Amino acid sequence: MIEDTQPTDAQTMKSFIRELARKNRVAQKNKDAISLEICRKFTALPAYAAAKTVMWYVDAGSEVRTRHTLPEALTHGKRVIVPWCIVETNELELFWLEDMSELVEGAYKILEPKAELRDLPAKKVQPEDLDLVMVPGTAFDQRGGRMGQGKGYYDRLLSRARLDAPLVALSFDCQIFEEIPVAAHDVFMDQVLTESRTIVGKGRAGK
């Protein structure tokens, strides 16, 4: 997928792959149908069946779309947790979602918890409470390496998740690369689910 003109230094390579992956993702056809298929693979995982508290991300832009499957997930008898971003601090907070009406369109047209609900003690969840974590990303590789938006939101969040809570990324095939540069703080996925394959990654234990 990467052309022969690819750069050689790690930082430039990261920017190159991130831009190429974004273009691939934007150009992805049939996003709704393929996203439903990928989300079904997620809910069919043994780890999903065993989990009581599951974090889902709410899709933004051209990411694998989860918003069409979230209403069904709310009927599975699990605590559905969604992240939302505190823009001032670039930190992700976790919210217990019980009904889709609790979400409103916020910055960048991303669905996020209503402001009046975010600080309710009963709605707040800690990363340590998660049994299974769904992760978005811009690009992934065959080792479970992940490249996000470059701001480290998820790396900071995932570093606090329990080691026995699997990290499972959703991705279109067009976002998968042979290898992407990773830094010491980058977190490897346990699995990456695409429309055609399941990649078993190194996970955090394999770093």
Side-chain angles (χ1 to χ4, degrees):
M1 183 181 294
I2 302 177
E3 301 170 357
D4 292 336
T5 54
Q6 60 181 290
T8 54
D9 67 283
Q11 198 55 46
T12 307
M13 173 71 85
K14 261 194 160 182
S15 298
F16 176 82
I17 292 176
R18 184 177 283 116
E19 182 62 25
L20 180 55
R22 283 175 177 156
K23 288 179 178 177
N24 289 345
R25 196 173 66 181
V26 168
Q28 174 69 51
K29 298 183 184 301
N30 304 316
K31 284 191 181 72
D32 283 345
I34 294 175
S35 294
L36 283 170
E37 183 181 338
I38 295 171
C39 286
R40 285 192 198 103
K41 290 179 73 172
F42 180 79
T43 57
L45 291 172
Y48 184 82
K52 295 180 180 179
T53 301
V54 181
M55 190 186 95
W56 289 67
Y57 70 83
V58 182
D59 61 277
S62 57
E63 292 175 342
V64 172
R65 292 172 179 164
T66 59
R67 66 184 69 197
H68 304 308
T69 307
L70 268 172
E72 179 187 333
L74 291 170
T75 71
H76 290 169
K78 303 177 185 299
R79 282 208 305 171
V80 172
I81 311 303
V82 295
W84 62 278
C85 183
I86 302 177
V87 179
E88 296 79 11
T89 61
N90 285 343
E91 296 290 335
L92 291 176
E93 292 287 328
L94 299 179
F95 178 85
W96 179 14
L97 180 69
E98 296 177 88
D99 192 275
M100 293 299 289
S101 66
E102 295 174 329
L103 300 178
V104 294
E105 198 172 271
Y108 311 108
K109 297 185 177 180
I110 299 172
L111 288 174
E112 56 187 31
K114 291 179 178 178
E116 63 268 26
L117 300 177
R118 294 173 183 173
D119 291 326
L120 295 177
K123 288 294 190 179
K124 290 189 173 186
V125 179
Q126 298 304 313
E128 296 83 359
D129 297 327
L130 302 172
D131 299 320
L132 175 64
V133 186
M134 176 194 284
V135 187
T138 302
F140 301 92
D141 69 18
Q142 308 288 345
R143 307 165 299 166
R146 172 186 175 273
M147 186 181 295
Q149 300 287 353
K151 298 184 183 297
Y153 299 120
Y154 274 88
D155 288 323
R156 288 189 290 275
L157 174 71
L158 298 178
S159 69
R160 295 177 53 200
R162 300 195 321 267
L163 287 176
D164 66 339
L167 309 181
V168 180
L170 305 192
S171 170
F172 297 116
D173 280 334
C174 64
Q175 297 171 248
I176 304 297
F177 294 79
E178 190 64 34
E179 186 172 335
I180 56 178
V182 294
H185 65 272
D186 289 328
V187 178
F188 284 86
M189 302 294 99
D190 292 285
Q191 289 181 296
V192 183
L193 307 180
T194 78
E195 64 266 37
S196 72
R197 52 185 167 158
T198 297
I199 297 170
V200 177
K202 292 169 59 176
R204 287 163 290 172
K207 288 192 69 172

